[in-house]
Amino acid sequence: MKVGRTSSFRDAHLAAIVDHSSDAIVSKDLDGNVLSWNVAAERLFGIPASEMIGQSIRRIIPADRQDEEDRILARVRSGELVPKFETMRLRADGAEIPVAITVSPIRDELGHIIGASKIANDLREQASLRTELLRSQRQFKALANNIPQLAWMATSDARVFWYNQRWYDFTGTTPENTQGWGWHEILHPDHAQRVIDSIGDTWSKGEPWEGTYPLRGADGEYRWFLSRAQPVHDEKGDLLFWCGTNTDITEERETNERIRLLMNEVNHRARNILATIQAIVHRTVGEADPALTEALVRRITALAANQDLLTKSNWSGATVDAICRSQMLHVVDPSDGRVEFDGPEGLMLKPTAAEALGLAIHELATNAMKYGALSSETGKVSLRWDIVETEGKQRLDIEWRESGGPPVSRPDHKGFGTAIITRNPEMALRGKVTLDYAPEGVVCRVTTTDKVFSDGASAGSQTEGQRAAATG
């Protein structure tokens, strides 16, 4: 009785496992007729057990795969286990579904093979994911190979493990000789160590990287590229790899170099014209009106100083700090400590705004030397500027403040100098200018009301790529 109870329990236990399995479990005799068909098989194939038991398993095998069943039965009869393989089977509605099948022989008490047990795993979800993955891979490949840049991916220690086709087309290299650190070989030798050191320093911090350098093409010629790399992190923030691109900027650099040479030539000729105008002023007005001569000459000098700054930036603009220091340099030695500069560097103004601000600073400095704080040994000038956020917009605030000089009084009339200090900046900077002749010292404040920063430079500094493209 004990043996019987154990056997019954075991049979019930196995039956429960089969019935509650998420995999389709089917048994068949050696002719392929179904002997058992569990609940999971009913769900997978859409055929109830009552319709399949006693029927041939070939009902769920597509017509073009019938020989597959012949091979399975032959291997079962020989006592082989058929390892898991992927194939297609039919549902009740005739639709083909992907499955993974494992087949093993069933033996009786004497060890004779009397049938086969088959386990079928539903692969529809995996097949869908695989299809989506393949589609994504094709899309990525198409995108990566059709962008104009050379694209690549690298490990955290700068070993490249993937390039797009444009890389191979340009360099003439193969995957075998440029994997890992093979890309070092096509770097221009004069720039190789600089680039390698720069990458190592930046990538060790996990920060985005940018650099410019020449790469050797398949024809042996070097061309300049702007390279950028972005770190890719997992959901925990750990660095996975780097994605990078190389953009050919050779023609842009050459164009900018030609523009720079032309601008230098224009600047040279313009300075010659300004020098000629100065000579004409001296000869025409001369000693007849020394004050007028001086005023004209110094304003022409201020224009020339502004032009020098703008020419150096290809007329993209000039920074506030450079404008202030350049104009003060023509009036007083800033190193003597009488002029204090305080403000962020790199705030690039548009050319028109830069010219107006430069002339205004020059006029204020000249007046300070003649009548204000800089006319005495104890006087000082404080020049401050900063960015202020107002209603979601960036505005520039500049203050000129004199102190320690002789008492100040308001002038009897407003001349051309006052117009240069107030009206010109108001128009060019689209702002408001207040000029206060306080007894302790002149105070002038400029507050912009519109965007006066040069495009892409309001944050203060150009990227390495912009500088490279601009300077050649």
Side-chain angles (χ1 to χ4, degrees):
M1 294 295 293
K2 185 176 180 181
V3 174
R5 286 197 301 270
T6 302
S7 177
S8 298
F9 174 78
R10 184 181 59 200
D11 293 344
H13 185 64
L14 292 175
I17 292 175
V18 171
D19 286 340
H20 292 87
S21 172
S22 60
D23 296 326
I25 301 177
V26 177
S27 64
K28 59 185 179 181
D29 61 23
L30 294 179
D31 292 324
N33 297 315
V34 175
L35 301 174
S36 67
W37 186 265
N38 74 343
V39 176
E42 292 182 331
R43 289 195 302 268
L44 178 59
F45 300 109
I47 305 173
S50 59
E51 291 186 18
M52 278 303 297
I53 293 176
Q55 302 297 314
S56 174
I57 194 68
R58 294 179 183 274
R59 174 179 174 180
I60 63 169
I61 300 177
D64 59 350
R65 294 178 183 266
Q66 289 294 322
D67 58 339
E68 189 178 274
E69 177 64 9
D70 295 333
R71 292 193 298 271
I72 290 173
L73 289 174
R75 295 181 67 178
V76 169
R77 291 190 186 101
S78 65
E80 291 184 48
L81 171 69
V82 180
K84 182 181 289 188
F85 67 97
E86 295 184 11
T87 186
M88 303 296 291
R89 290 296 182 259
L90 296 175
R91 281 180 52 82
D93 58 5
E96 290 192 3
I97 57 172
V99 294
I101 291 176
T102 304
V103 184
S104 57
I106 298 175
R107 301 175 184 271
D108 61 15
E109 293 84 351
L110 300 177
H112 300 139
I113 298 173
I114 59 173
S117 173
K118 177 186 296 184
I119 300 176
N121 306 119
D122 189 353
L123 295 183
R124 282 176 293 184
E125 183 175 354
Q126 293 92 321
S128 177
L129 292 173
R130 186 181 300 169
T131 300
E132 182 61 31
L133 177 61
L134 290 173
R135 180 163 54 247
S136 297
Q137 289 176 336
R138 285 194 294 268
Q139 291 172 344
F140 170 76
K141 185 176 181 180
L143 174 64
N145 289 335
N146 283 283
I147 60 173
Q149 288 86 3
L150 316 182
W152 44 270
M153 287 186 280
T155 59
S156 58
D157 58 353
R159 289 185 296 108
V160 179
F161 60 86
W162 174 87
Y163 294 100
N164 69 343
Q165 188 58 43
R166 285 196 184 275
W167 167 275
Y168 296 115
D169 293 342
F170 171 76
T171 63
T173 58
T174 65
E176 291 74 25
N177 58 30
T178 51
Q179 288 291 306
W181 290 281
W183 58 276
H184 292 179
E185 298 300 320
I186 64 169
L187 277 174
H188 193 289
D190 293 346
H191 299 265
Q193 196 58 51
R194 170 182 65 84
V195 174
I196 294 169
D197 291 344
S198 174
I199 289 178
D201 179 60
T202 305
W203 285 23
S204 64
K205 303 172 185 175
E207 299 174 351
W209 177 80
E210 180 177 300
T212 57
Y213 47 84
L215 291 175
R216 187 181 66 244
D219 58 1
E221 298 294 324
Y222 285 91
R223 294 184 67 83
W224 277 87
F225 285 84
L226 167 61
S227 182
R228 291 191 174 103
Q230 288 286 338
V232 178
H233 300 88
D234 61 18
E235 62 278 1
K236 297 179 181 178
D238 295 329
L239 179 63
L240 293 176
F241 57 92
W242 294 83
C243 282
T245 59
N246 297 77
T247 304
D248 192 334
I249 58 170
T250 304
E251 293 179 1
E252 185 179 0
R253 285 172 60 91
E254 292 173 351
T255 299
N256 285 327
E257 176 63 15
R258 288 193 293 269
I259 292 174
R260 188 183 66 82
L261 293 174
L262 289 173
M263 292 302 299
N264 286 339
E265 178 64 21
V266 170
N267 184 46
H268 175 71
R269 296 188 182 189
R271 290 182 66 86
N272 288 341
I273 292 172
L274 291 176
T276 302
I277 293 174
Q278 287 183 347
I280 292 173
V281 169
H282 279 291
R283 289 180 176 275
T284 304
V285 182
E287 298 179 357
D289 194 340
L292 176 60
T293 300
E294 180 194 359
L296 287 172
V297 169
R298 64 179 172 79
R299 284 165 181 159
I300 291 171
T301 301
L303 280 172
N306 271 348
Q307 183 170 299
D308 285 342
L309 286 177
L310 293 171
T311 300
K312 290 177 181 177
S313 69
N314 292 332
W315 281 80
S316 62
T319 61
V320 175
D321 54 307
I323 294 168
C324 293
R325 295 178 189 277
S326 173
Q327 292 300 339
M328 294 302 296
L329 185 63
H330 291 283
V331 180
V332 65
D333 182 2
S335 65
D336 65 6
R338 300 178 66 194
V339 180
E340 178 188 5
F341 300 98
D342 184 16
E345 297 182 357
L347 297 178
M348 183 80 72
L349 297 183
K350 293 179 179 179
T352 303
E355 287 182 312
L357 178 61
L359 290 176
I361 296 295
H362 185 90
E363 200 68 29
L364 286 166
T366 302
N367 290 342
M369 281 292 296
K370 287 183 176 182
Y371 319 110
L374 298 180
S375 66
S376 70
E377 294 182 358
T378 58
K380 293 185 177 182
V381 170
S382 173
L383 244 176
R384 302 176 183 276
W385 61 91
D386 203 357
I387 297 297
V388 294
E389 285 281 346
T390 306
E391 298 177 354
K393 294 183 179 180
Q394 286 188 334
R395 305 182 190 280
L396 176 63
D397 185 77
I398 307 172
E399 182 188 76
W400 167 286
R401 183 177 293 273
E402 299 179 28
S403 61
V408 175
S409 59
R410 183 176 294 276
D412 297 332
H413 67 282
K414 295 182 178 180
F416 182 63
T418 303
I420 291 177
I421 295 172
T422 58
R423 189 171 62 190
N424 279 11
E426 284 181 338
M427 295 176 62
L429 295 167
R430 296 185 179 90
K432 181 180 180 181
V433 179
T434 58
L435 186 58
D436 182 12
Y437 293 95
E440 61 273 15
V442 172
V443 178
C444 180
R445 171 167 285 181
V446 181
T447 304
T448 67
T449 58
D450 199 0
K451 183 177 183 293
V452 294
F453 301 112
S454 180
D455 290 341
S458 61
S461 62
Q462 293 171 297
T463 66
E464 183 178 345
Q466 290 171 323
R467 290 194 299 273
T471 64

